[in-house]
Amino acid sequence: TRTTPATSAAACDYSFLLQQPIFQLVAPEESGVDVSLATPLAIASQGHFDAIRQVELIPESGLPIVLSPHNFKPFTAAAPFVPPKVTRSLSAPVVEMLSLPRLKPSTTYQVVLTVRTLGSPPGCPKVLTEHIARFTTESATSLDAIALSHEPPAPPTGTPLTGAQIFDNALRELRTFQYPPIVSFMVTTRSTINGKPFEETFRSLLRTSDDVVITHSVPVMTTNQPENPWGFRVTIPLLGSLFPSQRKGNYSEPFGVPEISPIYSFNLLPRAPITFPGMPPPDPNEEAIRSLGRILTIARDYDATLLDVEKYGSRYVYHLKLTPVERPNVFRLREAWIDTQAFVIWKLRSAGIFDEGPATTVPWDITYTIVDGHWFMASESTTSTIRTGGFLANTPQVNYDGISYTFSDFTYPQDVLGLDFFSEVKTQAIQN
């Protein structure tokens, strides 16, 4: 998308924009997920790289990364990656590469070029700003990020632990994690519908004291096309209720606006008590009451069985099978991957997510990450095809071929009011 300075002359003939060169990001791919933190940038054009004045990588929050275009180098076969295919909009493209500094994990970057215009008429802008792509970097899983001092990754030795011992150690580790009062983050929904990608990104806030999430219902990015302000639509009430209409190529969120807590642990931790203004604090004298002793109990919601020790990224993990002791529709976890040294849970497999709707009927894989020393959900995904809507739901029927939620851009605002956590959004996509 090309934007022009606000001071441009109103009399400028902007038809010259159609003759400007096209720039396309080919690596990392547009809307790429889990992009390496150490990666080159590759851009395709018809050879007009000398027109680029500046390259910026702009995160959702924080300072942008400003790069000099003089460091562009032609792509060669010896490059450390193979560039993806270039779209047909570029004929006989030239691909050049630009080295990047190490990027921040779990962060969405907008790629913005400042480009000198070619052949612009008098009185028209001489420089254009082009937002050519966006991508999200991979999650961090280094134990250094949570200040744990362990030896380099190695498979476990000595007397093997039982599945129950491993699971209990993971729960103890989970109870040590702490969070700032408020967490701001981005959640991105991705799927494939009729062979075409569907993607939307929302901005969310989490109040960690009671795990309440509020999500702004208007996405900050969507593959849906905006409504034509000059168009019109004829609606017949009876037919509209029997056959709901939907703009071609535009789709709704599969389960509604996502209100998912990135610290959700599938009931592995007890829910924090909700406090309200005016509630009296706990009586300190209760601690002074004499007692004969204390009893420590660990809830046995699952029977844990060790399946294997596996490599997981740069770490080694225990792969556990989890069998719920009772109420399998409530205790949905079926497998867990737990770090063999730090007992951090890196991955879970669940028989459904959310409390209601079609997401409860298919298996999901949940991965976790460490960001700024905090344990967060990195993604929830299923490869199953999920059908939503239809005649009974009074909405258009849609088949979502695989669905994923990814979480990124974690920040910790200090000036959030309690009223910011009031919402009347109706959605099935709730996890807190």
Side-chain angles (χ1 to χ4, degrees):
T1 303
R2 296 185 173 93
T3 60
T4 57
T7 56
S8 299
C12 173
D13 181 1
Y14 285 100
S15 62
F16 81 96
L17 294 176
L18 300 176
Q19 308 303 320
Q20 298 306 302
I22 296 175
F23 297 95
Q24 178 188 330
L25 185 74
V26 293
E29 292 188 71
E30 157 67 8
S31 297
V33 184
D34 289 341
V35 171
S36 172
L37 304 182
T39 181
L41 195 74
I43 295 178
S45 180
Q46 293 96 340
H48 297 284
F49 292 93
D50 57 339
I52 300 177
R53 296 285 185 86
Q54 182 176 274
V55 180
E56 289 183 284
L57 270 61
I58 303 178
E60 175 67 19
S61 63
L63 298 175
I65 299 174
V66 181
L67 304 168
S68 170
H70 301 298
N71 296 324
F72 271 113
K73 297 180 180 179
F75 168 76
T76 63
F81 74 100
V82 177
K85 294 181 180 179
V86 181
T87 62
R88 296 178 182 177
S89 60
L90 293 178
S91 58
V94 175
V95 177
E96 292 201 3
M97 295 170 47
L98 185 64
S99 297
L100 299 179
R102 186 173 180 83
L103 303 175
K104 292 174 58 179
S106 300
T107 300
T108 301
Y109 288 95
Q110 300 279 349
V111 182
V112 179
L113 304 183
T114 301
V115 183
R116 174 174 53 86
T117 57
L118 302 181
S120 60
C124 290
K126 302 302 180 184
V127 173
L128 297 173
T129 301
E130 300 196 17
H131 297 248
I132 65 171
R134 67 196 296 271
F135 63 85
T136 303
T137 54
E138 65 186 353
S139 303
T141 54
S142 169
L143 287 178
D144 296 334
I146 48 177
L148 294 176
S149 56
H150 289 274
E151 302 80 14
T157 58
T159 304
L161 299 176
T162 65
Q165 290 173 324
I166 296 167
F167 194 52
D168 289 346
N169 287 341
L171 295 182
R172 291 190 187 96
E173 185 63 34
L174 199 58
R175 293 185 178 96
T176 67
F177 296 151
Q178 302 198 5
Y179 300 92
I182 304 296
V183 178
S184 172
F185 62 97
M186 308 288 279
V187 54
T188 299
T189 309
R190 293 181 175 89
S191 185
T192 301
I193 306 172
N194 297 328
K196 296 183 178 180
F198 168 81
E199 181 177 346
E200 286 191 323
T201 298
F202 298 85
R203 185 179 288 106
S204 297
L205 283 175
L206 162 69
R207 187 170 60 198
T208 59
S209 62
D210 51 12
D211 222 12
V212 172
V213 176
I214 185 72
T215 299
H216 197 287
S217 60
V218 179
V220 298
M221 191 288 303
T222 178
T223 51
N224 287 333
Q225 298 298 315
E227 290 277 358
N228 181 358
W230 309 110
F232 65 94
R233 182 180 301 174
V234 177
T235 301
I236 302 176
L238 179 60
L239 293 180
S241 62
L242 294 176
F243 306 99
S245 62
Q246 178 172 278
R247 294 184 62 213
K248 184 177 181 180
N250 281 17
Y251 301 96
S252 301
E253 281 289 307
F255 314 110
V257 174
E259 293 189 345
I260 304 173
S261 167
I263 64 174
Y264 185 70
S265 61
F266 289 81
N267 298 319
L268 292 180
L269 287 179
R271 186 183 297 271
I274 299 178
T275 59
F276 297 94
M279 284 185 64
D283 186 356
N285 295 323
E286 290 184 3
E287 292 295 325
I289 298 176
R290 298 182 61 184
S291 62
L292 297 178
R294 294 177 181 270
I295 298 176
L296 175 65
T297 60
I298 298 178
R300 295 293 179 187
D301 297 324
Y302 297 93
D303 287 331
T305 305
L306 177 60
L307 297 179
D308 200 0
V309 175
E310 303 172 359
K311 199 83 186 301
Y312 185 83
S314 63
R315 308 294 304 173
Y316 286 89
V317 294
Y318 295 114
H319 183 184
L320 300 184
K321 176 184 177 181
L322 302 179
T323 304
V325 175
E326 60 179 3
R327 295 187 294 169
N329 60 322
V330 175
F331 299 102
R332 297 174 172 174
L333 297 181
R334 300 296 179 263
E335 295 177 69
W337 287 259
I338 299 170
D339 195 283
T340 59
Q341 292 168 290
F343 294 100
V344 174
I345 298 174
W346 292 129
K347 182 178 177 181
L348 296 170
R349 181 161 292 157
S350 176
I353 60 173
F354 308 146
D355 291 336
E356 60 179 349
T360 64
T361 63
V362 298
W364 293 77
D365 284 344
I366 302 93
T367 63
Y368 290 88
T369 183
I370 303 295
V371 179
D372 301 323
H374 306 300
W375 184 77
F376 288 124
M377 190 185 295
S379 68
E380 287 188 298
S381 62
T382 181
T383 57
S384 303
T385 296
I386 297 180
R387 177 179 299 175
T388 66
F391 177 78
L392 295 179
N394 195 33
T395 58
Q397 179 176 298
V398 180
N399 288 347
Y400 295 88
D401 297 323
I403 298 173
S404 71
Y405 296 100
T406 57
F407 304 83
S408 63
D409 301 85
F410 296 96
T411 58
Y412 317 102
Q414 302 292 324
D415 55 350
V416 177
L417 301 176
L419 293 178
D420 292 334
F421 288 89
F422 177 78
S423 172
E424 291 185 342
V425 174
K426 294 183 179 180
T427 176
Q428 293 179 339
I430 299 177
Q431 237 172 3
N432 52 31

